[in-house]
Amino acid sequence: ERLVAELFEYTRAEYLREVPRPEWLDFGDLLRGTTEGLQPQADARGVHLELSGAATPLLVRGDPMLLTRAMENLLDNAAKWAKSCVTVAASRQHHEIVVVIADDGPGLSEEQIRETGIRGRRFDESVEGSGLGLVITSDIAETYGGDLTLERGPLGGLQVILRLPG
């Protein structure tokens, strides 16, 4: 069921590339709402979601539903892999909104990151999910002129960086 739902979401994201429906919104509000909404699921896994930098207005133009979906994908993915903590930092850097999500999980090696990329294969089939979350989120970011990158994080796990024009 989840795979089918994610495939539908992926298809919708592809459709919106051709027919964008953006509006101005405060990405900080969106982040706070998404983080608070996912905290019970993270608590069930023994993971704390820590948000910083979302107190100041971070105006961005985009579809609130798609951008919420993007953040849910990233936070849920980080919480699945984290041992105990996921940090989320949002900021305005020049003309961009930058969101950095880092977990303290096992992470991937630099080689695995290069091999996997956003559209790569999954390295652990025992973790639930379809593996489409990063693909969907990357496509959503690109729809609005942004991007998504992966790297080794300061907590030892994976760090995902979302950039959106702002």
Side-chain angles (χ1 to χ4, degrees):
E1 287 179 32
R2 185 176 174 148
L3 176 59
V4 170
E6 288 185 351
L7 285 171
F8 278 125
E9 191 68 32
Y10 180 74
T11 302
R12 182 169 187 262
E14 285 296 308
Y15 173 76
L16 286 175
R17 277 184 174 208
E18 297 173 18
V19 185
R21 299 176 188 170
E23 64 182 67
W24 285 104
L25 60 106
D26 182 346
F27 205 74
D29 286 345
L30 184 142
L31 273 175
R32 280 189 300 280
T34 304
T35 303
E36 289 169 7
L38 288 175
Q39 187 61 61
Q41 292 171 341
D43 286 343
R45 295 176 177 142
V47 173
H48 176 69
L49 301 178
E50 182 180 316
L51 175 62
S52 64
T56 60
L58 300 169
L59 295 179
V60 67
R61 191 160 167 78
D63 182 320
M65 193 166 82
L66 282 179
L67 292 175
T68 298
R69 175 64 180 186
M71 293 314 305
E72 287 172 346
N73 287 344
L74 295 179
L75 291 170
D76 184 58
N77 193 53
K80 282 180 196 173
W81 291 100
K83 294 175 192 167
S84 63
C85 181
V86 173
T87 62
V88 183
S91 63
R92 175 174 300 287
Q93 296 178 11
H94 306 288
H95 300 289
E96 291 183 317
I97 303 300
V98 179
V99 180
V100 179
I101 299 173
D103 67 66
D104 64 351
L108 298 173
S109 68
E110 293 297 330
E111 180 182 335
Q112 288 172 318
I113 290 171
R114 279 191 308 278
E115 182 181 333
T116 302
I118 300 297
R119 299 181 187 287
R121 66 182 176 88
R122 295 172 63 204
F123 280 89
D124 187 345
E125 298 296 326
S126 68
V127 176
E128 67 181 50
S130 66
L132 289 174
L134 288 177
V135 174
I136 292 167
T137 301
S138 178
D139 284 351
I140 291 169
E142 289 173 10
T143 296
Y144 296 110
D147 67 19
L148 188 69
T149 56
L150 308 176
E151 58 187 43
R152 298 256 326 137
L155 301 175
L158 192 64
Q159 180 167 278
V160 180
I161 303 167
L162 173 67
R163 290 180 177 82
L164 294 170

